[in-house]
Amino acid sequence: PGGAQTLALPGSGVGVAGTSRQEEVGPRVVVDASGRIVVDAGSLTIQAQRSELASYERVEDDGRRTINSHSYMRRTPNERWSPEDTALFYRALRAFGTDFSLIAQLFPARDRRNVKNKFNREERESPELVNSTLKSRGDPKDKKILMDIVRANIMTAAAKAGAAGAAASGGAPSQGGAGEPSGQSLSGGAAQSPSQQGGSQQQLQDENAELGL
């Protein structure tokens, strides 16, 4: 009676008089002497204390560096494609179509973005060759050879990841790769040994020569 009373503003998180300062941040309403509910004008302005600003560091930006969604993206170097890589790319394009994620598994040093950029470049420079490759029906035997190479590359990457994880934790790497039974591939078949992988690569080069690529 005889003075203004502080009330909570619904939905603002404001507490009644006597609560902590952290809960009081925000607009408040009061009941004036005539009984009307009004907004406390003093609660509309927040003055930061020097003690709160002491934990912040002043950073000056000269405006020469632009940060966007690509600034912290992990990038794979876009290396030049050799004639052999280009021939393999067209073989994979004939067998798998525009499944760039699957085609990228044939190139351990590249990712899907590199393969997509290669496709866009070839489509600009040799559109007829790209169209004829996509329209042609790939040889099932050739597709099987490429899938064997994909499985071998996936197994090799999994084994390296398992060895790296074991080295970081101080344990022994599993023989079958990370989360994989020993001697089994991701597709349920037998994993290829390094000599078998080398044979697949040699067979791939022979197939390229036969196709004139």
Side-chain angles (χ1 to χ4, degrees):
Q5 297 180 355
T6 303
L7 302 176
L9 183 62
S12 66
V14 180
V16 297
T19 55
S20 65
R21 182 181 184 279
Q22 182 178 2
E23 295 175 343
E24 292 179 358
V25 175
R28 295 191 302 270
V29 294
V30 296
V31 179
D32 60 11
S34 62
R36 296 180 303 173
I37 298 177
V38 296
V39 177
D40 183 5
S43 67
L44 301 178
T45 304
I46 301 176
Q47 295 182 353
Q49 301 296 324
R50 292 184 180 273
S51 59
E52 296 177 353
L53 298 177
S55 60
Y56 291 90
E57 179 183 357
R58 184 181 180 87
V59 177
E60 296 183 1
D61 186 5
D62 57 7
R64 292 180 297 180
R65 180 184 179 186
T66 302
I67 298 178
N68 52 35
S69 59
H70 297 280
S71 300
Y72 302 100
M73 182 182 296
R74 182 175 62 88
R75 296 179 178 271
T76 302
N78 195 9
E79 300 177 355
R80 296 179 64 87
W81 289 71
S82 66
E84 292 78 12
D85 288 343
T86 299
L88 177 57
F89 167 79
Y90 273 101
R91 285 186 60 189
L93 195 64
R94 182 180 297 109
F96 305 136
T98 55
D99 190 344
F100 302 124
S101 297
L102 181 58
I103 296 176
Q105 298 296 333
L106 292 168
F107 305 94
R110 306 182 192 276
D111 58 14
R112 185 186 185 280
R113 182 178 62 87
N114 298 140
V115 175
K116 179 65 181 297
N117 290 341
K118 173 65 172 176
F119 175 82
N120 292 337
R121 185 165 56 253
E122 293 295 326
E123 194 173 33
R124 288 193 306 268
E125 298 176 357
S126 306
E128 295 181 358
L129 179 58
V130 171
N131 291 333
S132 63
T133 301
L134 290 174
K135 292 179 181 179
S136 63
R137 297 179 60 86
D139 184 1
K141 294 176 60 178
D142 189 51
K143 184 175 182 179
K144 182 180 183 302
I145 293 173
L146 295 178
M147 284 302 303
D148 288 342
I149 298 175
V150 167
R151 295 189 187 99
N153 289 342
I154 292 177
M155 289 296 298
T156 300
K160 289 181 179 179
S169 61
S174 60
Q175 296 180 357
E180 181 108 10
S182 176
Q184 296 293 324
S185 67
L186 297 181
S187 62
Q192 290 186 331
S193 65
S195 60
Q196 291 174 326
Q197 295 177 24
S200 297
Q201 294 292 345
Q202 181 61 45
Q203 188 176 7
L204 176 63
Q205 296 178 2
D206 296 340
E207 290 286 339
N208 282 339
E210 293 179 2
L211 294 175
L213 299 176

